[in-house]
Amino acid sequence: MTTADETIYELFVPVDKPELLSQAISILAEFSSEIRVSKEDLDKERGAVMEEYRGNRNATGRMQDSHWQLMMEGSKYAERLPIGLEKVIRSVPAATVKQFYQKWYHLCNMAVVAVGDFPDTKTVVDLIKTHFEDKRSSSNPPEIPVFPVPSHEETRFSCFVESEAAGSAVMISYKMPVSDLKTVKDYRDMLAESMFLHALNQRLFKISRKKDPPFFACSVAADVLVARVRLHGFSEREISVVRALMMSEIESAFLERDQTQSTSLRDEYIQHFLHNEPVIGIEYEAQLQKTLLPQISASDVSKYSEKLRTSCGCVIKTMEPRSAATVDDMRNVVSKVNSLEEEKKIAPWDEEKIPEEVVNEKPTPGDVTHQLEYPEVGVTELTLSNGMQVCYKSTDFLDDQVLFTGFSYGGLSELPESDYISCSMGSTIAGEIGMFGYKPSVLMDMLADLETALQLVYQLFTTNVMPQEEEVGIVMQMAEEAVRARERDPYTVFANRVKELNYGNSYFFRPIRISELRKVDPLKACEYFNSCFRDPSTFTVVIVGNLDPTIALPLIRQYLGGIPKPPQPVLNFNRDDLRGLPFTFPTKITREFVRSPMVEAQCSVQLCFPVQLTNGTMIEEIHCIGFLGKLLETKIIQFLRFTHGQIYSAEVSVFLGGNKPSRTADLRGDISVNFSCDPEISSKLVDLALEEIVRLQEQGPSQEDISAILEIEQRAHENGLQENYYWLDRILRGYQSRVYAGDLGASCQILEEGRLRMRESLAPQTAQAALQRILPHPCKKQYTAVILMPQRSRFGFLSSIFVSRPETRCIRDTKILAGIAGLAVLVFSIWRYSRKSKV
């Protein structure tokens, strides 16, 4: 990565193959002083860099660039972003790039950081010395320049109009010198600052959930609220909540110090080298926080607000899709707030009452009526007296992480189309009202341990959510604004058209319209949500993490087993009787341009093929399509980027959602190729991508291609075996698999055996046959290709109408989440964050 001040090369290397580690260090050594930069190299890379440049020229990129220039005004940083100018990317000669490289990339300004599970660190140091000791840079390196960013007493204002913006936003920034971190006092001041930001963000969130809120979301220091803090400070209760949260985080980091990700340690060393930040180690840092946090009072934290005055390097900026605010408006607001502060007319913060217990009356524990052990996957399965099935797996991957999720068959797919829109809003409305019996602004002040999390699940099943006018109004206002934002976004217009084309305009995939939102029945939405979480006997709950069964089991019996079972079944579906989602893929070739108004030209391509997997070899075929997706992605990137130099990246995704979870039916879906490119060559690149896929179907991949894909999959599998999220997903797949017949161990074993058989059989010939079998053969006989293009001017359209060929239209959203449509899904996780490189 390249920023305005540094370049970082990064390689992830398996440590169990010493030859790969040596090769990786050798490559880094070449990067340090031996980059070739030939004319051919540069010309081949120009298209990829231009695509990276173009990809950042969307609404978000333009707003970020504008803010950067405003913040850096008066300094060298305001003149140029790290990626540079378009004319330079297109035309800079190789000699100039080479000269820049030789001038600034000096060994005396470099560091090598190696972090990993090395059996012997001395060997790694010796490898670094071996590969770097003979490298040389040019003599007399220039002094690294320092470009200060000037401060200013007057408040700076800016109004930025961005027609493609998702919504309106206000950014209030305060420029101040970076404080040194050398002493314990420095560290204490940093903790106080962090507590200030935590407490302020909690207030901002609570304001966003009040009636007629001034904003839907806010995570920056709004000046009006900072003035309130200067007058009245934070309360001791607010700071005690923040203190407990920070203490919990550092305790988790300390407990998991032997399981810290290599990337976290790497980042600490990088920041030490680049910015002289201290590396003190988690043991000492935990000791510091444990000692200092109790000493930091609410008044200490509140003092930080003195740094955030509009007379201290303050920049206030509005960003809107249409011009509404003016600089004078903002000046008047700032003046008014400053006057209110001077006159002490800003009221103190009105605190919400936080309950001491989530569950006021503890439920009577249920019994375990049946227990099974599955040693092959290390899990225990319980059936509780209310019919709920609970499966848990104890791990030691992270000492302070427990995850759980639950599912029940049946959901939106079982509803008539007339009820779909209202009921699909159920979880959103319930979340705002308080699906756990409390509003989100109250829950955010509670620390989540295992008991609290299980209490919340109990609350979910026993709370009867009823629509409240205030909360429903907020939800619908936010939903309408989100719809308007999507309509302004060219990429959303593109994605909606893809879904419309690929899925036959099915109501399940069709984007919701404002006219439909206004017909939502909040009562029906809440009643449907309540019914989804009424009958515990329909749910299977999976818990994975550092569990002590002697502690966890009584809690499971009390809060999950204590959920009352209704007298009659509610939404009790047999999975074989569920309906699949109504969609059909086009039977003919469809190519289409979707033209949308754009501030700057953008182009996105989606190439999509139908997929149907037959029941007889389903397990192997599901694994196979995963391998094929990675193979296609790798080859298309190689072909379009490294051979033709015309794209920055590409993604291949597989969609098999929307099928009924039947034990016998075939699976339908699609596989899609997505990339962005220069609009002028988009059709040509679609043709090239098709030709490459046809080539793979007719000639097959090489053995090297297959070996690379197998290695990637094996590494991902090995890493997954050491992660709780992987096991959570693996157990869920075991329960939801078509081969599941009441024995989780057998189901997981069949799935793993299918994976191994697929690995063993994967070769150039079998991959070629799979490409012919799973995709249309040849792939050019059935596909959709949708290209997002800037809307042409009327003159341009008239001038080209006689030379352009007719195109049909199409689109697809690569991240459709319809796979859960046939499930009423409960998801909850207890997750305490691992330590970051900066507190």
Side-chain angles (χ1 to χ4, degrees):
M1 92 178 166
T2 305
T3 72
D5 295 303
E6 62 250 1
T7 300
I8 298 174
Y9 302 111
E10 181 178 79
L11 296 175
F12 289 91
V13 187
V15 295
D16 58 351
K17 294 186 177 181
E19 69 280 5
L20 288 181
L21 180 60
S22 178
Q23 185 179 5
I25 295 174
S26 174
I27 290 169
L28 285 177
E30 290 182 12
F31 288 173
S32 72
S33 56
E34 297 176 355
I35 293 180
R36 182 173 56 196
V37 198
S38 69
K39 181 180 183 301
E40 293 75 17
D41 296 331
L42 199 61
D43 288 342
K44 192 176 290 185
E45 194 66 11
R46 288 187 203 273
V49 178
M50 266 309 304
E51 195 46 48
E52 182 184 9
Y53 175 87
R54 187 182 294 107
N56 289 323
R57 302 308 302 161
N58 54 17
T60 301
R62 285 189 295 272
M63 289 189 289
Q64 289 174 344
D65 293 355
S66 171
H67 187 67
W68 170 273
Q69 290 166 359
L70 184 65
M71 290 294 295
M72 301 300 166
E73 185 177 344
S75 78
K76 196 77 172 175
Y77 294 104
E79 298 177 11
R80 193 72 51 90
L81 293 168
I83 198 168
L85 303 177
E86 180 177 353
K87 65 179 182 181
V88 175
I89 298 170
R90 291 188 183 279
S91 61
V92 63
T96 302
V97 178
K98 183 82 169 182
Q99 184 182 20
F100 181 89
Y101 174 72
Q102 291 174 341
K103 178 180 180 180
W104 293 111
Y105 288 72
H106 273 262
L107 289 165
C108 63
N109 294 324
M110 296 181 189
V112 177
V113 175
V115 180
D117 297 322
F118 304 122
D120 177 13
T121 54
K122 181 180 181 302
T123 301
V124 181
V125 173
D126 290 342
L127 282 173
I128 294 171
K129 289 179 178 178
T130 298
H131 291 296
F132 276 87
E133 62 184 357
D134 294 330
K135 304 302 178 187
R136 297 289 181 269
S137 294
S138 58
S139 57
N140 302 320
E143 184 177 346
I144 300 295
V146 176
F147 301 114
V149 179
S151 187
H152 45 89
E153 291 185 1
E154 79 287 353
T155 306
R156 291 180 178 170
F157 301 93
S158 174
C159 298
F160 185 77
V161 177
E162 170 53 61
S163 61
E164 296 173 16
S168 301
V170 178
M171 296 186 72
I172 304 176
S173 305
Y174 298 87
K175 293 185 282 189
M176 60 188 70
V178 177
S179 302
D180 290 333
L181 188 58
K182 296 180 179 179
T183 67
V184 173
K185 181 183 180 303
D186 295 336
Y187 192 83
R188 185 184 187 278
D189 291 343
M190 185 192 70
L191 286 177
E193 176 185 341
S194 182
M195 294 172 77
F196 174 89
L197 297 174
H198 268 87
L200 186 58
N201 277 326
Q202 286 180 316
R203 281 197 181 182
L204 296 171
F205 176 79
K206 291 176 180 180
I207 289 174
S208 73
R209 292 303 180 263
K210 290 185 176 181
K211 185 177 181 180
D212 297 325
F215 44 76
F216 293 140
C218 184
S219 59
V220 292
D223 188 64
V224 60
L225 294 174
V226 174
R228 192 195 309 272
V229 173
R230 279 196 292 269
L231 284 178
H232 305 288
F234 288 112
S235 69
E236 285 294 344
R237 193 200 65 78
E238 286 179 289
I239 298 308
S240 68
V241 169
V242 171
R243 185 184 295 116
L245 175 64
M246 294 177 65
M247 194 74 83
S248 172
E249 289 178 350
I250 196 66
E251 286 174 357
S252 295
F254 178 78
L255 288 171
E256 296 168 355
R257 62 192 181 278
D258 295 330
Q259 301 143 334
T260 304
Q261 291 286 338
S262 298
T263 50
S264 297
L265 296 173
R266 170 209 65 196
D267 290 342
E268 286 198 63
Y269 287 117
I270 289 174
Q271 293 306 313
H272 174 67
F273 171 69
L274 293 174
H275 305 297
N276 205 30
E277 292 186 7
V279 180
I280 60 178
I282 185 58
E283 290 86 354
Y284 183 54
E285 187 165 2
Q287 180 185 342
L288 272 178
Q289 290 204 28
K290 189 175 182 180
T291 303
L292 295 175
L293 281 172
Q295 300 175 11
I296 300 174
S297 66
S299 60
D300 292 332
V301 175
S302 302
K303 287 176 184 176
Y304 186 80
S305 62
E306 292 295 333
K307 295 184 178 182
L308 305 183
R309 291 187 176 273
T310 54
S311 58
C312 302
C314 181
V315 177
I316 302 179
K317 176 181 180 179
T318 63
M319 291 169 286
E320 303 174 284
R322 292 174 299 276
S323 180
T326 67
V327 168
D328 286 341
D329 292 336
M330 291 191 287
R331 280 203 178 97
N332 291 336
V333 170
V334 170
S335 176
K336 180 180 179 181
V337 173
N338 288 340
S339 297
L340 289 171
E341 181 180 2
E342 290 172 7
E343 297 166 9
K344 295 183 170 36
K345 290 185 178 179
I346 298 177
W349 176 252
D350 184 18
E351 292 193 54
E352 293 180 288
K353 187 178 184 301
I354 306 300
E356 294 184 4
E357 293 285 343
V358 175
V359 178
N360 293 322
E361 187 175 337
K362 300 291 177 70
T364 302
D367 296 323
V368 176
T369 61
H370 192 59
Q371 178 170 335
L372 288 172
E373 304 291 335
Y374 296 109
E376 55 269 53
V377 283
V379 304
T380 301
E381 182 183 271
L382 312 173
T383 302
L384 304 179
S385 51
N386 60 7
M388 180 178 280
Q389 189 169 262
V390 179
C391 172
Y392 70 85
K393 177 179 176 66
S394 298
T395 70
D396 57 2
F397 308 140
L398 290 171
D399 289 336
D400 206 28
Q401 185 186 70
V402 176
L403 311 173
F404 64 88
T405 184
F407 74 93
S408 171
Y409 285 112
L412 294 172
S413 63
E414 304 310 300
L415 298 174
E417 184 175 353
S418 58
D419 291 342
Y420 173 74
I421 296 293
S422 288
C423 293
S424 68
M425 292 293 294
S427 59
T428 306
I429 295 174
E432 201 61 41
I433 294 172
M435 64 175 68
F436 302 108
Y438 302 97
K439 291 184 178 181
S441 57
V442 174
L443 289 177
M444 71 179 299
D445 287 342
M446 299 181 182
L447 288 177
D449 56 12
L450 178 61
E451 182 171 9
T452 304
L454 291 173
Q455 287 176 338
L456 290 173
V457 177
Y458 175 81
Q459 289 287 102
L460 175 66
F461 277 84
T462 56
T463 297
N464 191 43
V465 178
M466 293 299 293
Q468 307 294 323
E469 183 179 352
E470 180 178 322
E471 285 80 5
V472 170
I474 292 173
V475 170
M476 302 314 293
Q477 188 180 357
M478 293 172 66
E480 285 196 20
E481 185 56 37
V483 171
R484 291 190 182 95
R486 289 198 297 266
E487 290 173 349
R488 290 191 294 268
D489 177 27
Y491 285 92
T492 303
V493 174
F494 169 71
N496 288 341
R497 176 57 185 151
V498 166
K499 288 185 286 188
E500 181 183 355
L501 180 68
N502 287 355
Y503 304 120
N505 199 25
S506 166
Y507 70 89
F508 228 95
F509 300 97
R510 192 167 56 229
I512 192 169
R513 302 177 179 90
I514 288 180
S515 60
E516 293 172 319
L517 273 178
R518 292 175 177 170
K519 296 177 183 177
V520 165
D521 182 344
L523 181 60
K524 180 179 289 185
C526 291
E527 288 176 344
Y528 176 72
F529 180 85
N530 291 331
S531 67
C532 288
F533 300 102
R534 186 63 68 228
D535 189 346
S537 68
T538 67
F539 273 83
T540 296
V541 175
V542 180
I543 309 175
V544 176
N546 191 14
L547 290 171
D548 181 346
T550 61
I551 297 173
L553 282 177
L555 298 175
I556 290 170
R557 288 181 56 229
Q558 181 161 46
Y559 296 113
L560 300 186
I563 297 170
K565 184 179 180 179
Q568 297 295 326
V570 180
L571 296 183
N572 194 347
F573 291 96
N574 183 303
R575 72 175 184 177
D576 287 324
D577 297 331
L578 294 173
R579 296 185 297 179
L581 300 187
F583 68 91
T584 54
F585 194 89
T587 57
K588 297 180 180 179
I589 296 172
T590 307
R591 293 180 69 143
E592 180 179 320
F593 290 121
V594 173
R595 298 193 178 272
S596 180
M598 298 180 190
V599 176
E600 296 185 57
Q602 301 270 306
C603 178
S604 185
V605 173
Q606 176 148 326
L607 180 61
C608 195
F609 307 94
V611 165
Q612 181 155 336
L613 307 183
T614 55
N615 181 54
T617 55
M618 183 65 66
I619 302 303
E620 290 84 355
E621 292 286 72
I622 290 175
H623 287 296
C624 182
I625 200 170
F627 283 106
L628 294 184
K630 181 54 67 175
L631 173 66
L632 289 173
E633 184 174 277
T634 302
K635 299 305 293 181
I636 287 172
I637 290 175
Q638 288 177 356
F639 191 59
L640 296 186
R641 173 168 183 169
F642 297 111
T643 302
H644 290 275
Q646 297 297 342
I647 68 169
Y648 183 67
S649 186
E651 178 186 8
V652 172
S653 56
V654 177
F655 170 61
L656 295 175
N659 292 277
K660 58 186 297 184
S662 167
R663 293 178 174 86
T664 58
D666 293 348
L667 276 182
R668 298 182 300 144
D670 55 67
I671 186 165
S672 63
V673 179
N674 306 271
F675 56 85
S676 58
C677 63
D678 183 341
E680 297 298 321
I681 59 171
S682 56
S683 292
K684 173 187 174 185
L685 294 187
V686 168
D687 292 334
L688 287 173
L690 285 168
E691 289 171 10
E692 177 64 8
I693 298 172
V694 169
R695 186 193 68 79
L696 289 169
Q697 286 183 314
E698 299 305 324
Q699 301 176 20
S702 67
Q703 182 58 53
E704 183 180 359
D705 294 331
I706 298 299
S707 298
I709 299 304
L710 289 172
E711 178 72 12
I712 291 170
E713 190 274 344
Q714 182 62 25
R715 291 296 173 184
H717 178 72
E718 291 171 357
N719 290 336
L721 291 174
Q722 304 300 315
E723 296 177 357
N724 290 325
Y725 279 106
Y726 172 87
W727 279 103
L728 189 76
D729 180 66
R730 184 173 180 177
I731 294 169
L732 270 179
R733 283 188 284 115
Y735 277 117
Q736 296 173 358
S737 169
R738 61 179 49 221
V739 300
Y740 177 70
D743 187 329
L744 176 65
S747 175
C748 291
Q749 184 176 353
I750 291 170
L751 292 176
E752 179 61 12
E753 288 173 351
R755 170 184 166 269
L756 293 175
R757 284 196 300 273
M758 190 65 247
R759 285 185 58 86
E760 291 169 2
S761 66
L762 198 63
Q765 296 80 12
T766 56
Q768 178 185 356
L771 285 167
Q772 295 177 359
R773 180 177 68 252
I774 292 176
L775 294 181
H777 180 230
C779 69
K780 288 184 177 183
K781 77 176 185 180
Q782 187 183 6
Y783 67 88
T784 62
V786 187
I787 303 174
L788 173 64
M789 297 281 280
Q791 192 173 65
R792 293 177 294 185
S793 67
R794 292 184 179 182
F795 177 79
F797 172 75
L798 290 173
S799 65
S800 63
I801 195 168
F802 299 108
V803 294
S804 62
R805 61 179 180 175
E807 302 279 358
T808 52
R809 306 183 68 191
C810 127
I811 279 196
R812 177 188 182 285
D813 183 352
T814 61
K815 296 182 179 178
I816 295 170
L817 299 180
I820 64 168
L823 308 173
V825 182
L826 157 66
V827 180
F828 193 93
S829 67
I830 310 167
W831 169 241
R832 292 183 177 171
Y833 294 98
S834 299
R835 180 170 174 265
K836 298 179 180 179
S837 59
K838 294 178 69 178
V839 177

